[in-house]
Amino acid sequence: MAQVAACPTGRSEPMDWFPHRNPILALLFAFTGVIFFPRFALIALLASIAVLCLLARATILGFVSLDPVKEALDQLIAMKYRGRRDGSPVTFRELAMAGFPPLKIVAANISMQELTVFSAETTPAVAVSEAVCASIAIPCVFKPRLIEGNWFMDGGLVSNLPAWTFDDERSVDRDALTAAIEIGVNANKERKPGWTIGSMLGTMIFGAGLLNKRGVERLTAERLTVNVGLLDFDVGRKRASEIISETEAYCEGSLIARMIELPRIINDKCESVSRRCHGLISASYAAAGLEEPEFVTRIAIAIPVAPRYRTVRLEFSSGYTDLSDERITLPLERSLIGRSWNEDETLFASKSDPAVWNESLAAPQDRWLRKLIWKDLNWVLCVPLKIDEQTRVVVTLDCDRELVFDDDTQQELLNALEDLYCRSSNS
């Protein structure tokens, strides 16, 4: 019978000199065993090492096969492609030849120690279902996938948000829109101090989204937060279906509003303000008794480009269609718009004042930007506006004709234009 000692709480517990309660005594017992029973100790040590190695190997190779997932995907894709579930797995080549939108899937090639992009151009004969399974093979959870002699794991190991895979399409079509869907941790979910294997894997797979989105123009990023962890595989079919339906509805509504409806509204506003500015300038000519020349006015809203905020892009505009500087990106430190932003002051610059005009884009690295600037540009008015506590923009109005008014009339016109900007931004 084991000895017990009384505790202040009235409970009975094993005495503290037991080895499992005292690590020093446990080491002493182990050392004694090695001295008096060396063979048994050596056998126990080797057996422990063998078991640990087997467990480590099994953990690295994963515990769950994705074959059932592949079979289900084959049937779903076949229904979409040929209207029935049977037949051979659908390949990337077959999808492309059938006119489906381009599909690109990223996975980590652990055999070649590199990233692989599955697509109709790079892997035409690979089954789409196989590429999907390779891309979701989370290390230590799912078994790697063998495709064309190479082993693959989750693409999040190398690129968790591969918006860059469509760089070629964007370089050809600058009007192309990009939507990036990120998965985030639910802010309402209780976070425990420290870290876990799940948090480590989540950071590895989802933690580098910022790197994958850098330099992507016309990108709309949507961060989804769901109350499901990376390793929560027991949520049930009903709850999983609900999460998918809710997420799909939210993305469709949010993305359409932010990518299509909001830009259209802002561009229409730019068009309205541009016409009113044109009318103010025309009225100034009439008031001054001067003959009104033909002139073109353009207006744009310049937005700093996150996350570094070293450049500014003319994201919304009116009058820029078919001109080379539509949606141009300019450096904050070496442009007139950037100067207005940095100083948070209205700036008027004209070709008639070369001291100010020639300071813009004067560095050697701005050579290509200078080629894109509107050749007929004569003056520009930049007005910084604060949209909210986190958002500042610069509204620009430019023209291809020099203002020929006297100083007082010109200043009065510029004040009226600035006031129109401010009133329009608040309406």
Side-chain angles (χ1 to χ4, degrees):
M1 181 179 294
Q3 252 185 312
V4 296
C7 298
T9 58
R11 293 178 298 175
S12 296
E13 296 184 358
M15 293 188 67
D16 290 342
W17 56 266
F18 266 48
H20 74 279
R21 297 290 299 259
N22 192 319
I24 297 178
L25 288 178
L27 289 175
L28 182 60
F29 273 96
F31 183 72
T32 303
V34 171
I35 294 177
F36 293 101
F37 306 98
R39 292 184 179 180
F40 293 105
L42 180 60
I43 293 173
L45 177 62
L46 293 177
S48 299
I49 293 175
V51 171
L52 290 175
C53 289
L54 291 175
L55 288 175
R57 185 176 184 274
T59 301
I60 293 174
L61 295 180
F63 295 96
V64 182
S65 173
L66 285 167
D67 288 342
V69 177
K70 180 184 181 304
E71 294 175 2
L73 285 173
D74 282 332
Q75 296 183 42
L76 291 174
I77 297 173
M79 284 292 296
K80 188 74 172 179
Y81 174 70
R82 57 175 73 98
R84 62 181 190 275
R85 297 177 182 273
D86 58 345
S88 59
V90 179
T91 64
F92 283 91
R93 179 191 291 114
E94 290 174 321
L95 279 187
M97 294 180 64
F100 285 88
L103 175 63
K104 301 182 182 183
I105 299 174
V106 171
N109 188 330
I110 57 177
S111 296
M112 302 299 294
Q113 301 179 28
E114 63 183 17
L115 176 149
T116 294
V117 178
F118 294 94
S119 68
E121 295 77 22
T122 57
T123 56
V126 172
V128 175
S129 60
E130 196 68 81
V132 172
C133 289
S135 184
I136 65 173
I138 301 174
C140 305
V141 178
F142 298 113
K143 295 180 179 180
R145 302 297 297 182
L146 180 63
I147 303 176
E148 296 185 342
N150 292 313
W151 290 98
F152 291 88
M153 282 187 175
D154 195 308
L157 294 175
V158 284
S159 181
N160 70 304
L161 191 66
W164 52 268
T165 54
F166 289 94
D167 284 349
D168 292 339
E169 287 79 0
R170 282 188 294 268
S171 66
V172 175
D173 181 11
R174 292 195 62 198
D175 288 327
L177 303 175
T178 302
I181 311 299
E182 298 180 89
I183 306 297
V185 178
N186 193 333
N188 298 323
K189 188 176 182 180
E190 181 181 357
R191 298 188 185 184
K192 298 180 181 180
W195 61 276
T196 63
I197 296 297
S199 66
M200 180 188 69
L201 292 175
T203 302
M204 290 172 57
I205 296 174
F206 301 119
L210 180 63
L211 297 177
N212 293 281
K213 294 183 294 183
R214 68 190 189 280
V216 179
E217 292 191 22
R218 311 205 77 185
L219 170 70
T220 300
E222 192 67 57
R223 186 173 182 83
L224 302 178
T225 55
V226 293
N227 193 19
V228 178
L230 180 64
L231 303 180
D232 291 344
F233 299 113
D234 57 347
V235 295
R237 181 174 181 177
K238 181 179 179 181
R239 178 56 184 152
S241 299
E242 291 174 353
I243 293 174
I244 293 174
S245 299
E246 293 169 1
T247 302
E248 183 179 11
Y250 174 79
C251 283
E252 286 183 354
S254 178
L255 290 175
I256 291 176
R258 293 172 59 192
M259 298 180 69
I260 300 176
E261 295 177 357
L262 181 61
R264 176 181 55 79
I265 293 173
I266 297 177
N267 285 326
D268 289 345
K269 189 70 172 181
C270 288
E271 175 67 25
S272 174
V273 175
S274 180
R275 288 196 301 266
R276 295 166 67 183
C277 289
H278 195 284
L280 278 176
I281 297 174
S282 297
S284 297
Y285 276 107
L290 300 174
E291 181 180 354
E292 179 183 339
E294 292 186 3
F295 63 94
V296 175
T297 56
R298 309 185 308 171
I299 195 169
I301 299 177
I303 301 176
V305 179
R308 293 177 294 276
Y309 297 104
R310 297 183 59 186
T311 58
V312 63
R313 181 180 299 132
L314 305 189
E315 192 65 45
F316 309 103
S317 62
S318 172
Y320 281 73
T321 305
D322 298 329
L323 294 177
S324 57
D325 54 355
E326 181 181 7
R327 274 204 323 274
I328 191 173
T329 300
L330 301 169
L332 278 173
E333 298 299 328
R334 303 186 306 276
S335 64
L336 296 173
I337 296 175
R339 177 177 169 182
S340 175
W341 162 270
N342 289 327
E343 298 177 358
D344 197 20
E345 293 182 355
T346 298
L347 172 67
F348 175 78
S350 171
K351 275 187 176 180
S352 60
D353 185 7
V356 176
W357 190 262
N358 293 334
E359 288 181 355
S360 178
L361 304 180
Q365 59 266 38
D366 299 327
R367 182 171 71 92
W368 288 100
L369 287 176
R370 291 195 294 269
K371 292 182 178 183
L372 297 177
I373 298 299
W374 185 26
K375 301 304 179 183
D376 296 329
L377 184 62
N378 191 281
W379 59 264
V380 60
L381 175 65
C382 305
V383 180
L385 295 176
K386 185 177 181 180
I387 305 301
D388 53 40
E389 292 299 326
Q390 289 80 32
T391 308
R392 282 199 304 140
V393 302
V394 176
V395 181
T396 70
L397 175 72
D398 57 31
C399 184
D400 62 343
R401 292 284 183 178
E402 182 180 2
L403 297 177
V404 294
F405 309 112
D406 58 64
D407 292 343
D408 292 338
T409 303
Q410 178 169 306
Q411 188 60 51
E412 184 178 348
L413 172 61
L414 295 178
N415 291 340
L417 292 173
E418 181 179 359
D419 180 65
L420 177 59
Y421 281 4
C422 297
R423 285 189 285 107
S424 298
S425 67
N426 294 327
S427 61

